[in-house]
Amino acid sequence: MKILVCIKRVVDYNVRIRVKPDGGGVVTDGVKMSMNPFDEIAVEEALRIKEAGNADEIIVVSIGAKQVQEQLRTALAMGADRGIHVETTENIQPLTASRMLLNIAQSEGVDLVLLGKQAIDDDNNQTGQMLAALWDRPQATFASGLSFDGGKATTIREVDAGLEVLEVDLPAVVTVDLRLNEPRYVKLPDMMKAKKKTIDVKTLADLGVEAAPGVSSLGVRPPEGRQAGKKVETVEELVKELQARGLVND
Amino acid sequence: MALDADVLEQFIDQVKRLVTEKLVPNEERLVEDDDIPDEIVDDLKDLGFFGLSIPEEYGGLGLCLTDEAKIMMEFCQSSVAYRSRIGTNNGIGSQGLVIDGNEQQKQRYLPGLASGEMIASFALTEPGAGSDAASLTTSAVRDGDHYLLNGTKRFITNAPQADLFTVMARTDASTPGARGVSAFIVEADTPGITLGKKDKKMGQRGAHTSDVIFENCRIPATARIGDEGHGFKTAMKVLDRGRLHISAVCIGQAERLLKDSLNYAIERKQFGERIADFQLIQAMLADSRTEIYAARSMLLDATRRYDQAERVSEEASCCKMFASEMVGRIADRAVQIHGGAGYMADYAVERFYRDVRLFRIYEGTTQIQQLVIAKSMIRSAENS
Ligand SMILES: Cc1cc2nc3c(=O)[nH]c(=O)nc-3n(C[C@H](O)[C@H](O)[C@H](O)COP(=O)(O)OP(=O)(O)OC[C@H]3O[C@@H](n4cnc5c(N)ncnc54)[C@H](O)[C@@H]3O)c2cc1C
């Protein structure tokens, strides 16, 4: 089995996000960037699938400026076999990204595409789903468990009602959730080895895709500062207060 | 060997992740259990922390000192007991072998030390020989193909965990001082070795020291590192590296103390204002930031020279003295900025305040560093 894992470079989850003064997005200059944490879980899962003998090649792909190669190198140091960098400085939205990924999934003939359930920067939660639709293949989103049998994958999904078990035919798209695994620490010798692994660079034209954003952002604002809370003396007072605000029934 | 800048950065990212996700959240457990959780020891092994300074051909990472120092400055932003566990394998526990051991000794021990499967301790100090280590009296008497070891070693870090001891013992009873001393690598299960009970220390719970007592402990002559009478020469060669390593540890601890202090100062309000807005608090924060910067700059200058094979004994002592005294001042200010909370065990600064006190004492007290620095200055002046 051949696995494609899609990774996105985002502002590190430890960074306190600041909105640009002109409202045109968030500040990324001089800010620490990392692999989207859900994508890291996807890479880890691919490695575990390979280590269990269920896959023989893991390809990682990332779309963006030259610097996304840092995140590809991290994935290669974790153990992925080779990378593909789609180089562009354009604003790439989920539909465009999924078109590129479709092209790569098809030309590489992969059996499984793993993605994070969403990227922590834009929180769109769309790319995996759009890719499955364009590819006309099954999808299983928010996977917190994943296993294989023959040409099928079984995923466990955490839904409001409990755990849903879904079986999909391969090739398929699976997006991963937080509790699927805990990504490994990368070892120094593996980081050095990763420098020798190949990263193929492609352009949008190579993939026959145009950036053509379909959604335009009107502005970005920081959330309102939190208001001071109110202290109450007794439980009765608390209940009254909540009732007055319509938060609990009388 | 120096790492490529991007690889070092990537590795430091991993260290930061380990510190924030595992080491800091487990600090209280470490204190409560007086031990490092097994899964954390496993992570440290996985990441190669036991062999930072051991050459690659023996399974270590073979880092240059500058890279090692940069890594320690991040790693030590957590409880220093974690560092203590890996400290002896990277320090004199293994470096004596790396520098003066023969090939057979290296093959036998270094891979186990690098992976962390084996723990090595360094046994120099004795009840009657501390700063004046060269006056040690533990004896190693030649007996055919063997030596018989007799004597007591004191305050030996990681002794309760140790599989190996690098022991400094007098092979020539008629030669006082350093020239009569040899170094030996002694396996901990050799008959004739007993451990005292764990010392009750001021701080650094989770890290252990104890006496190590040798009574007619019979070791093969092949356990000697280098020639007879060369023990101190071996020790001196690794001392500079050790002192610079400890300086990095102090800087890491200072960074953490300052980070906690700054966060507290921004959160805590008095007189209707954040205490961070009081200029007297700001002075403490600024002094601390400046001193850390000074220590870091000194250290990176000294490690760069060390890596270029310059002699840096004087600079290493300058760094060790300044960094260990600096972290003491910063710990004191950290407690002050925290007010009463800083005196309470609920806040990490109370614990760190006690933990960092050690740095001014071991690996040569501040007074001993002063002597080293001044004597070196005088010697240079006399020779010029
Ligand atoms: C937690 C801990 C872990 C340790 N781990 C190890 C270990 O793993 N292996 C090991 O071998 N040792 C270890 N040591 C021992 C440590 O290296 C010694 O404690 C240290 O060298 C000081 O020796 P001392 O305690 O005998 O103090 P002393 O030498 O008795 O010093 C007492 C005081 O006198 C001062 N003094 C001494 N000589 C002079 C002088 N000539 N001029 C001016 N002032 C002087 C000292 O600076 C100090 O202030 C450890 C100690 C501790 C506390």
Side-chain angles (χ1 to χ4, degrees), chain B residues 282-301:
Chain B
Q282 290 177 351
M284 287 196 269
L285 293 171
D287 286 354
S288 297
R289 169 50 57 225
T290 306
E291 290 192 55
I292 292 176
Y293 182 45
R296 192 183 273 272
S297 305
M298 284 171 79
L299 174 64
L300 292 177
D301 174 66

Side-chain angles (χ1 to χ4, degrees), chain A residues 96-136:
Chain A
T96 319
S98 54
R99 286 193 177 118
M100 299 182 204
L101 299 175
L102 171 70
N103 182 310
I104 293 167
Q106 285 178 327
S107 62
E108 292 284 353
V110 301
D111 308 283
L112 176 67
V113 182
L114 285 174
L115 309 90
K117 68 170 179 180
Q118 66 198 62
I120 62 168
D121 52 0
D122 296 329
D123 281 335
N124 279 317
N125 177 13
Q126 293 173 341
T127 308
Q129 293 88 328
M130 287 176 168
L131 169 62
L134 293 172
W135 199 11
D136 200 18

Side-chain angles (χ1 to χ4, degrees), chain A residues 33-48:
Chain A
M33 306 293 282
S34 296
M35 194 188 312
N36 177 38
F38 294 111
D39 301 349
E40 210 171 351
I41 293 169
V43 175
E44 175 65 35
E45 195 61 20
L47 297 175
R48 292 185 189 191

Side-chain angles (χ1 to χ4, degrees), chain A residues 13-14 16 32-34 40 70-78 182-192 194-195, chain B residues 1 3-22 43 46-48 56 61 63 71:
Chain A
Y13 74 97
N14 288 307
R16 195 173 298 172
K32 182 170 165 47
M33 306 293 282
S34 296
E40 210 171 351
E70 289 168 23
Q71 280 62 48
L72 286 172
R73 287 281 168 218
T74 302
L76 294 173
M78 287 173 76
E182 188 187 326
R184 66 196 59 195
Y185 290 103
V186 190
K187 299 176 191 172
L188 191 56
D190 293 336
M191 291 175 187
M192 299 201 244
K195 293 196 80 169
Chain B
M1 183 202 59
L3 297 172
D4 290 343
D6 58 337
V7 171
L8 178 64
E9 193 182 328
Q10 225 180 1
F11 190 66
I12 284 181
D13 272 351
Q14 295 294 308
V15 177
K16 284 184 179 160
R17 187 180 143 207
L18 180 76
V19 168
T20 41
E21 290 179 6
K22 297 269 178 78
D43 285 332
D46 260 4
L47 279 170
E56 282 169 281
L61 298 182
L63 298 180
I71 289 165

Side-chain angles (χ1 to χ4, degrees), chain B residues 73-94:
Chain B
M73 287 191 277
E74 289 300 332
F75 182 69
C76 291
Q77 298 188 26
S78 57
S79 261
V80 74
Y82 297 121
R83 197 296 309 188
S84 186
R85 183 64 67 89
I86 63 156
T88 47
N89 277 32
N90 284 300
I92 192 148
S94 72

